[in-house]
């Protein structure tokens, strides 16, 4: 339906670039997951300067340098940690190694930016909390399904404008394509990837806290299963979770590895956000059988119905805000409390999950 009279819900784009040349220098290490490219792209678009890259696998470094020829290959992680110019280290290590690596980076005097999930155990989380408090350095997490998706960012703008009133419930659907032959061995080892709720569930928990405005929540129940991948006995291909926030808002999400081969993208990620005065639906990556472009936002409230395609209109302000936070000691991008709380809740959900199959 076309825009109704009286509606003014256009995306408010924000410039990404905040840093002058040489003002903010970072390095990329532990290239175990392709998300490192998205992380680096975001920082570069915000004005960051990529100086170093390091990984124990030379082929990964070689591939990385083809995309970022301005970087230099370091001989060791310690060489990067000893470089006084480097202010932040970005990493996409094996999930179980992300927490200990972050502690080492922070204690070396650098900020740390890791792929999600940031931890696989509550003990790792507590070590990172202590290191962040003692060093004053940031432990930032790439919760990309909100921070690097313009429809999700626009939903935050709509909620801030009061378009749907008080948020009462968030439902998140996070299907992913497994494509098992392309996955590394560690991906199928529970101790290393942490479980499905710990892993891709971390996106959903972070979004619930953000959209509902909660600082904390209770995990009501959670379930995991391996329905269709018995040849990988430690893999969980399904998980779900229910939460209640401190302010009474409720949340439910489902994550899985069941994206069918016929879908034109890796996953039909969706989100439903219900408020007292309306609701928002996000079709993040595709609008099936209708629109190949993602970033579709559906809004229904007292003014009527609206469908908006917001790709290219919002930008990704998180990365510039993170740079500012690292330079100035502020918390514009995401508070450390919020970053750690999202991780804590998905770890609790994973730990207490009922195994269905």
């Amino acid at each position: 339906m076309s825009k109704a009279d009286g509606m003014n819900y256009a995306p408010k784009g924000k410039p990404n670039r905040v840093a002058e040349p040489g003002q903010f220098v970072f390095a990329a290490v532990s290239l175990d997951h392709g998300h490192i490219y998205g992380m680096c792209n975001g920082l570069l678009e915000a004005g960051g300067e990529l100086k170093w890259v390091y990984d124990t696998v030379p082929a990964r470094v070689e591939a990385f340098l083809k995309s970022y020829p301005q970087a230099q290959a370091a001989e060791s992680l310690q060489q990067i940690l000893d470089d006084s110019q480097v202010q932040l280290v970005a990493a996409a290590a094996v999930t179980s190694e992300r927490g200990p690596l972050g502690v080492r980076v922070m204690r070396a005097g650098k900020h740390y930016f890791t792929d999600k999930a940031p931890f696989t155990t509550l003990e790792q989380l507590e070590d990172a909390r202590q290191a962040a408090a003692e060093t004053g350095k940031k432990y930032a997490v790439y919760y990309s399904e909100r921070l690097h998706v313009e429809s999700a960012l626009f939903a935050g703008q709509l909620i801030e404008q009061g378009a749907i009133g008080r948020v009462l419930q968030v439902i998140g659907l996070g299907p992913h394509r497994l494509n098992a032959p392309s996955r590394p061995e560690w991906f199928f080892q529970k101790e290393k990837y942490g479980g499905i709720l710990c892993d891709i569930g971390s996106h959903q928990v972070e979004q619930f806290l953000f959209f509902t405005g909660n600082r904390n929540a209770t995990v009501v129940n959670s379930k995991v299963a391996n329905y269709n991948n018995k040849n990988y006995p430690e893999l969980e291909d399904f998980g779900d979770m229910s939460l209640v926030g401190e302010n009474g808002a409720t949340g439910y999400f489902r994550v899985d590895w069941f994206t069918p081969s016929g879908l034109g993208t890796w996953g039909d990620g969706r989100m439903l956000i219900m408020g007292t005065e309306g609701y928002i639906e996000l079709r993040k990556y595709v609008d099936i059988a209708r629109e190949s472009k993602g970033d579709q936002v559906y809004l229904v409230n007292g003014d009527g119905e609206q469908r908006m395609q917001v790709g290219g209109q919002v930008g990704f302000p998180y990365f510039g805000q993170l740079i500012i936070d690292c330079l100035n000691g502020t918390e514009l991008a995401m508070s450390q409390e919020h970053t750690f709380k999202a991780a804590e809740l998905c770890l609790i959900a994973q730990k207490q999950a009922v195994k269905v199959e």
Side-chain angles (χ1 to χ4, degrees), residues 7-21:
M7 299 179 74
N8 185 23
Y9 298 117
K12 297 179 180 179
K14 298 179 181 179
N16 295 335
R17 182 169 291 272
V18 300
E20 299 298 326

Side-chain angles (χ1 to χ4, degrees), residues 18 31 51 53 57 60 62 82 110 132 151 166 196 204-205 207 223 239 253 269 282 291 311 333 335 341:
V18 300
L31 317 177
K51 183 176 181 180
V53 58
V57 180
R60 289 203 288 246
E62 182 180 353
D82 289 340
K110 319 288 187 190
S151 56
R166 175 190 169 192
I196 195 169
Q204 302 291 335
V205 174
Q207 288 174 100
K223 303 185 292 294
F253 72 77
L282 307 180
E291 174 64 70
S335 73
K341 181 55 67 173

Side-chain angles (χ1 to χ4, degrees), residues 76-99:
S76 66
L77 172 61
Q78 194 60 47
Q79 183 180 7
I80 293 171
L81 298 182
D82 289 340
D83 186 345
S84 61
Q85 280 192 312
V86 174
Q87 292 143 293
L88 177 143
V89 174
V94 174
T95 314
S96 60
E97 298 171 7
R98 292 171 187 171

Side-chain angles (χ1 to χ4, degrees), residues 21-283:
Q23 187 180 13
F24 187 79
V25 178
F26 71 99
V29 306
S30 299
L31 317 177
D32 293 276
H33 197 291
H35 283 168
I36 191 66
Y37 289 87
M39 297 162 69
C40 290
N41 289 344
L43 292 171
L44 288 168
E45 290 167 5
E49 178 182 323
L50 176 57
K51 183 176 181 180
W52 295 106
V53 58
Y54 174 72
D55 192 275
T56 56
V57 180
R60 289 203 288 246
V61 173
E62 182 180 353
F64 186 88
L65 289 173
K66 288 179 180 178
S67 296
Y68 307 105
Q70 71 271 39
Q72 306 171 56
E75 295 181 0
S76 66
L77 172 61
Q78 194 60 47
Q79 183 180 7
I80 293 171
L81 298 182
D82 289 340
D83 186 345
S84 61
Q85 280 192 312
V86 174
Q87 292 143 293
L88 177 143
V89 174
V94 174
T95 314
S96 60
E97 298 171 7
R98 292 171 187 171
L101 175 59
V103 170
R104 181 178 174 186
V105 168
M106 289 188 292
R107 294 204 180 281
K110 319 288 187 190
H111 301 287
Y112 181 61
F113 183 31
T114 181
D115 189 17
K116 67 78 213 162
F119 312 102
T120 54
T121 69
L122 289 166
E123 291 75 18
Q124 289 178 354
L125 168 61
E126 289 310 308
D127 289 344
R129 274 185 166 139
Q130 183 175 350
E134 292 176 356
T135 64
K137 298 302 177 182
K138 296 195 177 298
Y139 192 109
V141 178
Y142 184 52
Y143 292 117
S144 59
E145 290 188 20
R146 182 175 68 84
L147 305 177
H148 228 159
V149 174
E150 287 180 287
S151 56
L153 293 167
F154 183 44
Q157 294 180 7
L158 290 173
I159 292 168
E160 186 178 5
Q161 293 171 38
I164 61 170
R166 175 190 169 192
V167 176
L168 303 177
Q169 185 186 52
V170 175
I171 298 175
L173 303 176
H176 287 60
R177 179 172 286 138
L178 181 58
N179 194 13
S182 70
R183 301 288 179 176
E185 184 178 355
W186 65 263
F187 178 86
F188 301 100
Q189 298 172 357
K190 182 76 173 289
E191 185 178 356
K192 292 187 177 181
Y193 81 89
I196 195 169
L197 297 177
C198 167
D199 181 20
I200 53 180
S202 61
H203 288 297
Q204 302 291 335
V205 174
E206 190 280 327
Q207 288 174 100
F208 168 78
L209 292 174
F210 177 80
F211 288 129
T212 61
N214 271 292
R215 296 177 60 181
N216 199 2
T218 299
V219 177
V220 178
N221 60 65
S222 55
K223 303 185 292 294
V224 296
N226 183 348
Y227 285 122
N228 198 45
N229 290 277
K230 308 301 185 185
N231 51 329
Y232 299 108
E234 294 186 42
L235 178 70
E236 295 167 351
D237 57 22
F238 173 92
D240 71 2
M241 174 178 173
S242 296
L243 309 97
V244 177
E246 286 184 321
N247 64 10
T250 68
Y252 170 83
F253 72 77
R254 186 204 78 218
V255 289
D256 65 77
W257 292 104
F258 286 109
T259 293
S261 60
L263 187 72
T265 188
W266 56 266
D268 184 12
R270 299 194 183 198
M271 183 154 283
L272 287 163
I273 306 170
M274 183 184 74
T276 54
E277 299 174 26
Y279 63 90
I280 298 165
E281 180 181 353
L282 307 180
R283 302 184 184 182

